[in-house]
Structures are given as C-alpha cells and as structure tokens.
Amino acid sequence: MLSATRIHADQAAVTVVSETKEITDWALRYFGDWWNATTVDVPAPDSGSMTEEGALLLADVDSRRMADIERLVGDYDYDEVDYANARTLVARHEDGAIYAAQPPQRLAYHYEPATGRLVIVGARAQQVAVAASRLARELVRGQLLRAGFHILHSSCVVLDGKAVLAFGPKGAGKTTTALLLAREGYELLANDRVFVRPEPGGLRILPWPSAAAIGFGLLESTGLYEPVRARVLAGEQMHPTQDQRVTDALHAGSTKPIWNAKGKELKPQFFPDQLSSLLRMTLATEAHAAALLFPTVEADAEPHVADAPRGLGEEDFFTGKTEDRYPDIFRLAPENTAPATDLADRLAQLPRRALVLNHDSSTSAGLLAKTAEGLLSE
C-alpha cells in the first residue's frame, strides 16, 4: 500500500512516495516543521512525475529493480564519483536519463530530467530512507536556486522574525553560537547553512534541514549530556550517521572526545526533529537577516568582543564548486544561478561583531546574548 509525504519550502516542493511507510515516515520526521512536511494522498506514480506541486520521488525496497539499474549502469560508460561518502557509479543515457549505483550501500537511482521524476531503490529500508531524504532535499534545493535563493555557510537563530547569522570555518563556533543563543530564548533556524534571497523587504532566510553534530564538551557544558544519554539508554535512536563509538560512549557515560583516523572529532548526531524534542529548542521556519556574528572558540580566553569583524568571502557561500560531499550527480541544480553580488552587498550593510568564546558556556552565552541584543537594536 502506497504512502506519501509532501515537503515544501517557499516555491519549492517534492512528494516522496513509497510502498514502505518507514521511508515516508522518515521524510516526515526529517523535514517536519522546517519544510512543512505533511502526509498527503498518494499520487499515481505512472500518471506523470513533475506534479503541479513539485517533483516526485519514488523510493522503495526493491532488490530486483536495483539489480536492473545496476545492469543498466554497467551497460553504459559510467563515471565514478564520491557521493555522500560512498563510491558511486553514474551513467548518462543519450535520451537524458541518469542512472547511478552505490554497490556497497546496495542503492540504485534513476532520474528523468524531463519529468523531474527520481527513483531510489535498495535492499534495506533505512538506507533507502536516508537516500530519499537526502535527494528530496536536493530536489528542493534545485528549485529554490532557480527561484533566486543562494546558500550561505552559516548557522542562524531568530528573535521576533529577525535573523542573526553566524559565520566561520568548520570548528569556528557556528554551532556553539546557535545552541547557546537558542538556550537564551532565540529560535533555531539552521545549524550549518541557510537559503537566502534578496527581496524588497530585506534578505529572506529559509532553513536547510540537516542532522546536527554537537560535541560531547558542548553538551556537557550546557547540561544537555545527561538528558541526551538518558534518552539514548531508554531507546532513543540517534541519526544513523552517528559513529558506533559515539553511541558506545553515550551508553558508557563517557564525555571524552573521540577522534577518527583523519583527526576529525566524532560527535553525537541529532535528527532535525530531535533539536526540539530532545534538546528543547524552538525551531524557526523563516526570517529576515538582521545581524552577523563571526565567532571563534579559544579554550583559555576570556569571552570578549574582538576587533574588526571580517567581511564575507567565497568560503561563506555554498556553490557547486564548494559542495564536495554531495556533487550534483543528477544535475538537479540549475547550471546558471543568479549572481550573488547584490546579496553580498546587502549582507555587508548589516551590523556585525566578531567574538571570542571559550568552553564556559554560561559566560559565552551571556556575551552572545548581550552582543546579539545590541546588534538587533541598531
């Protein structure tokens, strides 16, 4: 029996359809309030594809069809790329159809650009569900880019409809800034990136739903570690991208940082809906940009406002060239997007501060709240 979840953000929409309810339930959970995900009546899969309400994504557990697509990939010349940290074989047919296979993950894909119809099949429901949510987001992303939005590498919190954006490279403190301000009464709009579009009334911000990685140290310093651990011990399932070593540490009650072979810290991974259900944050669905923060975290420093906040650079904008984990193998994004010149100029006019934070969450939160309040009053 078919079930469906419809996801829409502004002018973009995609309907996820499956015979496996776990897959559509996953999409409902993953996009939730951020992208207005709802259960809907099931469209007829063979009646078209690009519906009046957006793209159609068909996802299911189907080993036979997966094998058929894998054979099609093998029949054509294919490229080998790294997509979602997995070896992926991509073949493009002369009629425009795109076929792809991820053999170790037991996943296969078929995309018809002319109709906007994307099929995902695999051997296991959870892996199909993860892939379907990832590609649903990419389908929405392509539609929003065509509607004039850009993607910023930024966390974002909101107060009374006014967005405070935090910028910086990985590890600079974007997540810390968002989490601490969310605990000071702000609404969380995004953990790592946002959609932004210049409009007559200002710079409109929409969220980018994604799993949130929050380190043991930050969870412990904010008093969230033990509540999170208690829920995990009671059976709460964290996002499947969470490393087993992190899960084991939560069960053992350890807060010692864990590092992988590449020197990257492994962190608890939260579903988007767990930011509210587990971490007690209020989520925002849209806002207008009002202020910019540029945090850095120095363990032994006294939290303070730093001199001369930097301007925005190329590293603060996500483009096809900078998106390394999810290359656009299905060509869902437009080849040409609106120039970001106007956006950059208007962001440059917003009040901004550079801040140095430390591992004392209480002191850092106080400085952040005071600074944000001052910026929003300018």
Side-chain angles (χ1 to χ4, degrees):
M1 181 176 181
L2 292 175
S3 61
T5 293
R6 182 172 181 268
I7 302 152
H8 69 95
D10 194 70
Q11 303 170 37
V14 59
T15 302
V16 180
V17 180
S18 179
E19 291 183 353
T20 306
K21 193 171 184 295
E22 177 183 343
I23 294 171
T24 54
D25 284 348
W26 181 290
L28 186 67
R29 176 185 189 188
Y30 202 89
F31 297 104
D33 292 337
W34 260 336
W35 275 3
N36 308 295
T38 56
T39 300
V40 295
D41 292 336
V42 180
D46 296 323
S47 64
S49 293
M50 179 65 86
T51 70
E52 293 181 358
E53 297 181 338
L56 183 63
L57 191 158
L58 307 178
D60 239 313
V61 177
D62 190 333
S63 295
R64 178 178 296 181
R65 190 166 188 184
M66 179 184 68
D68 289 342
I69 294 175
E70 288 175 337
R71 280 193 293 270
L72 282 169
V73 171
D75 288 343
Y76 302 121
D77 292 331
Y78 60 78
D79 297 321
E80 186 170 328
V81 300
D82 187 70
Y83 177 75
N85 297 322
R87 174 174 170 264
T88 306
L89 312 179
V90 184
R92 294 178 173 85
H93 192 265
E94 59 187 13
D95 67 1
I98 299 173
Y99 301 94
Q102 294 177 307
Q105 283 66 36
R106 306 298 310 282
L107 289 169
Y109 309 82
H110 174 202
Y111 179 57
E112 294 285 351
T115 62
R117 172 173 169 159
L118 178 60
V119 174
I120 303 173
V121 288
R124 294 184 290 274
Q126 185 178 88
Q127 288 194 320
V128 175
V130 173
S133 291
R134 181 187 302 125
L135 266 301
R137 187 173 62 191
E138 293 303 304
L139 284 163
V140 169
R141 170 179 173 265
Q143 294 174 61
L144 288 177
L145 291 177
R146 289 183 178 86
F149 282 89
H150 299 268
I151 305 173
L152 293 178
H153 189 196
S154 167
S155 66
C156 179
V157 294
V158 179
L159 186 65
D160 297 329
K162 298 178 180 179
V164 178
L165 300 158
F167 294 90
K170 188 179 294 293
K174 297 188 300 297
T175 297
T176 296
T177 296
L179 178 60
L180 294 181
L181 284 174
R183 291 175 62 80
E184 292 291 317
Y186 286 73
E187 298 174 335
L188 179 69
L189 188 138
N191 171 63
D192 185 64
R193 63 186 78 181
V194 294
F195 287 96
V196 186
R197 181 174 65 189
E199 296 181 351
L203 298 175
R204 189 178 180 199
I205 312 287
L206 296 178
W208 170 283
S210 67
I214 303 176
F216 285 134
L218 183 56
L219 289 174
E220 185 178 33
S221 68
T222 54
L224 291 170
Y225 178 85
E226 286 301 331
V228 169
R229 178 172 181 257
R231 292 280 289 271
V232 170
L233 290 175
E236 181 92 13
Q237 297 297 309
M238 305 295 283
H239 195 276
T241 57
Q242 179 170 290
D243 192 280
Q244 183 60 43
R245 287 168 286 180
V246 173
T247 303
D248 293 342
L250 284 166
H251 279 274
S254 173
T255 59
K256 183 179 179 180
I258 303 169
W259 308 90
N260 66 13
K262 296 182 179 179
K264 178 183 177 182
E265 184 180 358
L266 303 176
K267 302 176 180 180
Q269 301 279 337
F270 296 85
F271 279 99
D273 73 306
Q274 288 177 321
L275 297 174
S276 56
S277 68
L278 189 52
L279 300 185
R280 304 302 182 192
M281 298 180 184
T282 301
L283 303 183
T285 57
E286 64 177 283
H288 284 84
L292 314 181
L293 293 174
F294 297 88
T296 57
V297 177
E298 299 178 11
D300 300 323
E302 184 70 20
H304 63 278
V305 176
D307 296 331
R310 67 173 176 85
L312 295 180
E314 290 185 5
E315 69 277 9
D316 299 307
F317 292 80
F318 271 111
T319 66
K321 294 181 180 179
T322 59
E323 182 56 270
D324 53 355
R325 286 190 63 198
Y326 306 118
D328 190 19
I329 60 175
F330 299 108
R331 299 177 179 174
L332 302 176
E335 292 186 8
N336 299 305
T337 57
T341 306
D342 181 41
L343 172 60
D345 289 344
R346 291 172 69 170
L347 285 167
Q349 298 173 20
L350 297 178
R352 64 190 62 203
R353 296 288 186 278
L355 300 173
V356 175
L357 311 175
N358 65 14
H359 291 170
D360 181 340
S361 63
S362 177
T363 305
S364 293
L367 176 65
L368 281 167
K370 180 178 179 182
T371 304
E373 181 182 1
L375 289 171
L376 293 180
S377 66
E378 289 187 15

